[in-house]
Each structure stands twice: as C-alpha cells, then as structure tokens.
Amino acid sequence: MRTRIGWLGTAAVSALAFGVSVIPATPAAVAQDRLVRIDGSSTVFPVTEAVAEEFQNSTRGRVKVTVGISGTGGGFKKFCRGDTDISNASRPILALEMALARENGVEYFELPICFDAITVAVHKDNTWASSMTVQELKRLWEPEAQGKITLWSQVREGWPEHKIDLFGPGTDSGTFDYFTEAVVGKAKSSRGDFTGSEDDNVLVRGIEGNRYGLGYLPFAYYAENMNRLRAVAIDWEEDEHGPMLPDMDNVVKGLYNPLSRPLFLYVNRTSYETKPWVKQFVDFYLDNAAELAEEVKYLPLPERAYEMARDRLRSGQTGTAFGGVPEVGVSVEEILARQPTQ
Amino acid sequence: MTSIERVIRFRRYQDIGFQVLGASLTVIALLVLGALVLDLAKTGLGRLSWSFLASFPSRKAEQAGIASAIVGSFYVMVVTAFTAIPLGVAAGVYLEEYSRRNWFTAVIEINIANLAGVPSIVYGLMALSLFVYTFGLGESILAGGLTLALLILPIVIVATREALRSIPQHIREAAYAMGATRWQVVRYHLLPYSTGGIATGVIIALSRAIGETAPLITIGALTFIAFLPPTPFSPRPEEDGGGLYGPFEWLDSGFTVLPIQMFNWVSRPGDAFLANAAAAGIVLIVATLGLNALAIVVRNRMRRRIRW
C-alpha cells in the first residue's frame, strides 16, 4: 500500500522543490544566453523565419533566435515593454504604442524590410475582369454596398449579370485593415456579406471553386496558386500609368499602388547597441532580406532602400516616419527619407 | 389478435427501431472519424520519417521537422503533470473527505464546475497577466506548463472525487472502527483504492492538454525555435559563461508545441506544408492514443488488484 501512493508523494515534493529552487536562479541564466527574441505579425513571420534559419546556420547555433506570432499589436505590446529585441510589424507603430514605448524608455529603429502586395484574385475562367479601378473596388467593398451591389454588371457595365461571390480575410487580419484603408478610405470599414476566413488558404479554395468569385489576399498566397487563380490588374486614378498587375517588377518599381504595403522590423535600440549578437542578426537581415523574401514569395525592396535602412542604423536615427498614423501608397524611399520621430 | 398483443408488438418494434437508430449513428460517427484519420494518414505518412522527427522548423517544407515541438510538448506536459496532479488530487480529497457542507464549499464546487467549462483562451489571458507579467515567468516552459495545469485542474479534481465516491462507505467505517485517524484512512485505504480512477482521469486530462493551442499562443509560445531547452547538467558553451546547466534551467526556456507547429503549417501558402501539418497531426494522434491506452491499462490493472 505504501509504495502504491509513493509516486503521489514524490510528485508533490518535487513540485514544491522545483518551484522554490528555480525562480531565483533564472534572471542570471537569461542574461548569459545569446538570444535574439522576436515576436509580432504572422504576415512577416515567413520572412523572419527564413532569415533566422539562415542566420542560425551561419553562426552554427551559437546565437539562438526565437520568433513568435502574437500579431502586430500583440508583438508591439511586448516590444514597447522592452520584453523583446525585435518586433515584426505589418503596419507602422501607432500613437498609443509609441506612448507606451516612451513610458518604458524604449527607443527603436523602424526598418522596412520587404513588400507585400495585396492581390485581388478571380477564377481562372473569368474572362471579363482583367483590370479594375480602385473606384470600382470601393463601390464593391464599401459598407453601403452590402446587399445592393450583388451582380458583376453593377460593378462595370457589360460584365455578366451574375451574382458575384466575395471572399476576404477575417476582420482581425492586417490585410483586411490595409485593404479597407486603401480602397474604402477608412480602416476596418467594409461590407459584411462576404465569406471571411482567417486562413487565407480557405480564400484560395473559395475563389478557385467559384467561377463568379472575387477576393483579396496577400501576394504569397496568390504566388503559390498562380495556376488556380488569376490576378486582377489595379488601376489607381491618382497615378497616370494605368492598370498594374501585382508582380515583382511593378511592386519593386513602386507602380503597384495603392495595394502594395511595406512590412517592417522594429529593433530595440538598447539591444542593438549593447548585445553584439542582435546587431549581427539585424545586419544579416538587411543583407539577406531581398533574396530570402523572394524565396518565400514576398517582394524585396529596391536595393537603395536597404542602403538607406543601414544608414539609419549607423546614424542612430530612432523613431517612426509615420507619427503614429497609418498611411497608404507611400513609397519606401520616401518613408526612409523622412526624419523619424520617437 | 388482442389489443394487449398489439401493444406488445408495437413496443418490440419501437425497441428494434431505437437499436437500429443508435447503431447507425454510431457507425456514422466512427466512419467520419475513420475518414479523418485516413485522410490525415494519406497526406502525412509520406512525410513521416526519422529526419522529420529530428529536424527543426524550416522555410523549406521538405527540410522542416518537429524536433523542437515534440521536446517542447514533452517538457510542458512534465510541468503540467507535476503541478496539476498534486494540487488536483489534494483538492479532490479535501472536498470529498474533509470539508463540511457549508456555503464556502458550495461556492468552491460551483466554481470548479464552471471552470471546467471556461474556454481555454480565457485561461491564456489570465495566465498572461498572472504568470508571464505579475510573477515575471516570461514566455517560458514553466509559464506554459502552469497555464495548462490550471486548465486541467478541474478535470483532475472531478476525477479524484468520482474515484473516491466509488469506494464503498463500509471501507471507511471499518477503518474508523479499528481506530484509524482520518489521515490514515485516506493514506492507507482511500488513495490506494482510487489510484486507478484518479490515474485514468489524470491521463485523459493530460491528453486534452497536449492538444491545446490557444492559451499557449496567448502567453507567447514561439513558432520558430531551432534549439532545445538546456538538458540538466549538460555543458554550457564557453562564450555563455561555461560550466554546467542547472537542473531546472530548462523551465525558463522558450518553447513551441506540436499543435502550434501544425497551425502554422496549415495556414501557410501552398500545399507543400500541408503534408508536414498532417504528419505532425499523426504524431499528435499517436501520442494522444498512447496516453488513452495507458489510461485503460492502468485502470484495468488497478481494478484487478482491488477486491471488496
């Protein structure tokens, strides 16, 4: 009888023992580790993962890199408390988050690292919608369209008089925020009667299986499924050059507007300056971002932009170029040329 | 034919009808489950290999593996088990054998019943502010394990109470009649007799915890981590200070678990990673089935030993 409950007693004792012994011992252990802690947007994750993988290979595991996916907002919450060294962000830092960082004495570098191009996609056999204007997209997606704009013919005359089936990302996603901001003019302002999913693969399958479907998704999901979907060229009335397809050339030259958006890395200044391995990682990131981004189907920045980002680190210019307000359709060179504010 | 015979025949048909209905529903449920497992096996078996189990995550689907996820899941489960079992069993014994029926225990009981039904993400939010920030544990294995321990604590408590309740009252009375104290009754009779039931409940609770994603993502479990927590007493690299790692330093390490790795792979663009997700799913199902099988074995062995 004794032995049979022995394990319960052992469990209780050892639970107590480790509870007591471990907590005081931990801070010292953390300080010694060569660890780069990264968290934030799941959109930026594939790029950072690729860089982290290559970086760990190149240091033969002497520096450890961890990447989480708490989302841009969740990542900033930790970053602005000084809990992480680097934050992945699919939008610039907001005024509230800036205030939190100031409060905790966190200074940061804002570095654009690649583009995402939001792609408007239709079924492979869709013969009519080869291009759309931003105005037409707005008419289709704004809240007032709900229940009213339901036929293709209502978007443009001459298009089929057939019901249009809409697909879009869930309302928690950064893609949703950026698309509504760029097209409707106000973030999160959208019609609600579309098939939404947080999993972009569901959108791909939806559009693929629906001849009269239309949806928008991050470029990488279109690029992986080019044989199943067709991209719609986007014609922005505010520039002169006519409809543009989302592809490497157009995006890198800054012609795919307003639906291409830069993705950012925010780097804690103290980490960058006091932990040599964080500096090593960030420098490695800027040197390899173009190639690795392309490999995971994101779109690299022009080479000049990486040069400007390096300058920013060298000259110690901390802060954001946006002042806490998100903008659409700004070129990366312009973002990097601005004087950032903390 | 008299009316009574007609009624009896009608009842018989009713009986058969219900049997057929029940049997076909069971078959349908099993078919759906079987189809799911088959589909998973078809997609994932090809990816399942030693190198898949032993590699770290990668951007290249063919090179990616689940080493850090398996080890992370294991360590988190160790913390969860070592916390939830003593706490849950002690609470169950107290509530069943010691406490008097008053408003205080009534409140506790209602709370436990409610906690068992709280969505797991709520535990994640609570753990984020309590363990990660207030206690300063960070996004560590310790914080993750404690979070899941909270999650399954109600299940362990309820299982313990059920197991104690199934022990006939006359066992207790006989022991008391021999002059045993309450502690002696618990220690030498009730706990040994109920070990089978408790262990079954604990193992089923653990197999629920091993599949949890949401609360761990909330507290900041990682998605990319290409190293393992430090093994106790293994050498620390010279540039990190040298010497040996302490016995409990792994508790402070960052981690990822199998369901998080799966979730990440399922949501990636392209089909290449789907096979990886399915293969990780097979590993997870095997682990869960293994735990459940263990529960059945333990229960049967314990039952055979007890005769009253």
Side-chain angles (χ1 to χ4, degrees):
Chain A
M1 291 298 166
R2 261 166 196 284
T3 50
R4 226 182 286 162
I5 69 155
W7 63 278
L8 278 177
T10 323
V13 170
S14 28
L16 279 177
F18 82 26
V20 174
S21 65
V22 73
I23 292 164
T26 44
V30 174
Q32 282 168 328
D33 255 359
R34 306 159 144 247
L35 186 61
V36 183
R37 293 161 52 103
I38 309 174
D39 204 338
S41 162
S42 55
T43 309
V44 190
F45 175 81
V47 187
T48 302
E49 179 195 46
V51 177
E53 188 187 353
E54 283 307 310
F55 179 72
Q56 290 212 0
N57 288 344
S58 81
T59 63
R60 264 173 268 118
R62 275 199 298 272
V63 179
K64 296 168 175 174
V65 184
T66 62
V67 193
I69 43 169
S70 301
T72 301
F76 271 133
K77 228 170 257 162
K78 294 178 188 167
F79 181 76
C80 297
R81 296 166 54 105
D83 288 347
T84 49
D85 301 308
I86 296 172
S87 215
N88 290 327
S90 64
R91 56 153 172 82
I93 191 167
L94 298 178
L96 266 173
E97 293 154 348
M98 291 167 69
L100 187 63
R102 261 197 307 275
E103 210 174 285
N104 292 307
V106 171
E107 286 185 81
Y108 48 84
F109 297 109
E110 179 183 72
L111 310 170
I113 39 128
C114 66
F115 284 116
D116 177 23
I118 296 176
T119 303
V120 177
V122 291
H123 191 267
K124 241 193 138 9
D125 299 337
N126 180 321
T127 48
W128 55 95
S130 56
S131 82
M132 287 176 87
T133 66
V134 173
Q135 200 52 47
E136 283 165 344
L137 282 174
K138 178 174 193 272
R139 199 181 315 138
L140 181 60
W141 282 97
E142 65 189 354
E144 293 77 42
Q146 180 148 344
K148 276 196 224 130
I149 311 288
T150 53
L151 304 175
W152 277 96
S153 54
Q154 288 170 301
V155 180
R156 188 187 289 181
E157 239 167 277
W159 283 357
E161 234 171 275
H162 196 286
K163 187 168 176 304
I164 182 166
D165 287 306
L166 295 171
F167 299 88
T171 52
D172 277 339
S173 99
T175 312
F176 174 79
D177 287 358
Y178 192 90
F179 182 85
T180 45
E181 170 94 43
V183 166
V184 181
K186 188 163 172 282
K188 292 198 185 289
S189 156
S190 164
R191 69 190 295 169
D193 53 346
F194 64 93
T195 308
S197 171
E198 300 297 339
D199 181 355
D200 295 309
N201 286 317
V202 174
L203 304 181
V204 171
R205 263 170 258 134
I207 303 167
E208 185 193 2
N210 196 322
R211 186 155 189 258
Y212 295 93
L214 177 147
Y216 61 93
L217 28 87
F219 179 77
Y221 290 84
Y222 162 67
E224 283 282 355
N225 297 289
M226 275 188 184
N227 50 347
R228 306 178 183 177
L229 309 175
R230 204 165 57 67
V232 177
I234 302 298
D235 188 354
W236 197 26
E237 294 82 351
E238 287 180 39
D239 57 28
E240 315 282 79
H241 44 66
M244 283 291 155
L245 276 170
D247 60 32
M248 186 74 69
D249 243 24
N250 291 342
V251 173
V252 175
K253 283 190 193 134
L255 299 177
Y256 185 69
N257 274 327
L259 289 183
S260 72
R261 56 170 177 167
L263 304 175
F264 298 93
L265 212 58
Y266 283 76
V267 181
N268 183 311
R269 178 182 193 162
T270 318
S271 297
Y272 186 78
E273 286 169 357
T274 61
K275 298 179 187 166
W277 54 91
V278 173
K279 176 172 169 20
Q280 206 185 341
F281 176 78
V282 174
D283 295 346
F284 184 90
Y285 205 131
L286 288 177
D287 291 343
N288 296 280
E291 191 190 324
L292 291 174
E294 210 177 321
E295 204 185 309
V296 291
K297 311 285 182 194
Y298 282 63
L299 304 147
L301 305 179
E303 189 43 47
R304 220 174 76 77
Y306 294 112
E307 205 39 64
M308 289 168 86
R310 285 186 201 102
D311 278 343
R312 190 172 262 194
L313 288 167
R314 266 194 292 271
S315 57
Q317 290 178 59
T318 58
T320 170
F322 294 87
V325 194
E327 293 171 69
V328 294
V330 199
S331 80
V332 244
E333 278 97 340
E334 194 192 328
I335 294 171
L336 284 159
R338 289 181 189 167
Q339 185 64 43
T341 52
Q342 184 76 41
Chain B
M1 195 160 42
T2 58
S3 73
I4 200 103
E5 283 173 326
R6 213 179 306 135
V7 169
I8 288 176
R9 182 178 303 169
F10 174 70
R11 298 280 187 243
R12 289 234 171 92
Y13 282 138
Q14 225 178 10
D15 203 29
I16 294 169
F18 183 74
Q19 272 187 37
V20 169
L21 183 75
S24 47
L25 285 180
T26 313
V27 168
I28 289 173
L30 285 178
L31 274 181
V32 171
L33 192 68
L36 272 174
V37 171
L38 252 166
D39 185 55
L40 205 61
K42 212 181 80 196
T43 332
L45 266 185
R47 272 297 285 136
L48 216 51
S49 64
W50 176 248
S51 77
F52 179 72
L53 298 178
S55 308
F56 289 117
S58 164
R59 66 180 182 283
K60 300 193 182 92
E62 327 74 56
Q63 289 174 15
I66 52 174
S68 42
I70 290 185
V71 175
S73 275
F74 172 76
Y75 275 127
V76 168
M77 281 302 119
V78 169
V79 176
T80 304
F82 272 63
T83 335
I85 295 172
L87 279 180
V89 171
V93 169
Y94 171 77
L95 287 173
E96 200 57 35
E97 300 296 328
Y98 284 86
S99 72
R100 292 219 184 89
R101 307 234 143 246
N102 55 23
W103 65 269
F104 180 65
T105 48
V107 167
I108 292 182
E109 274 175 32
I110 290 171
N111 269 310
I112 290 172
N114 275 334
L115 279 178
V118 168
S120 59
I121 183 99
V122 176
Y123 283 93
L125 288 173
M126 198 219 65
L128 179 68
S129 72
L130 189 68
F131 297 140
V132 177
Y133 291 146
T134 313
F135 293 173
L137 299 183
E139 293 100 29
S140 58
I141 289 178
L142 183 60
L146 291 178
T147 309
L148 294 186
L150 276 188
L151 183 77
I152 63 167
L153 200 52
I155 310 178
V156 177
I157 295 176
V158 170
T160 305
R161 300 186 63 179
E162 288 299 329
L164 291 173
R165 232 174 269 166
S166 69
I167 299 173
Q169 195 58 30
H170 60 247
I171 300 269
R172 295 180 182 80
E173 282 159 5
Y176 286 131
M178 302 299 290
T181 63
R182 198 177 267 185
W183 165 243
Q184 284 171 320
V185 173
V186 169
R187 166 78 174 75
Y188 296 105
H189 295 281
L190 301 185
L191 279 182
Y193 304 157
S194 58
T195 307
I198 295 175
T200 312
V202 163
I203 293 169
I204 285 170
L206 286 180
S207 54
R208 170 172 175 201
I210 205 175
E212 278 295 338
T213 324
L216 293 180
I217 289 200
T218 316
I219 66 157
L222 302 160
T223 305
F224 176 83
I225 171 167
F227 57 88
L228 301 179
T231 314
F233 308 117
S234 62
R236 187 199 302 277
E238 279 310 316
E239 61 262 37
D240 290 344
L244 296 179
Y245 281 109
F248 297 115
E249 275 187 48
W250 56 272
L251 283 171
D252 195 52
S253 173
F255 68 99
T256 188
V257 293
L258 280 167
I260 294 185
Q261 207 55 250
M262 275 184 74
F263 167 73
N264 173 251
W265 280 336
V266 168
S267 61
R268 288 181 87 121
D271 293 337
F273 280 100
L274 280 182
N276 285 9
I282 294 173
V283 174
L284 197 56
I285 286 187
V286 168
T288 318
L289 284 182
L291 279 175
N292 284 335
L294 187 69
I296 293 170
V297 170
V298 167
R299 192 180 55 205
N300 288 348
R301 282 193 49 181
M302 293 294 170
R303 243 189 223 154
R304 227 173 297 144
R305 275 202 227 160
I306 296 168
R307 282 194 204 93
W308 44 52

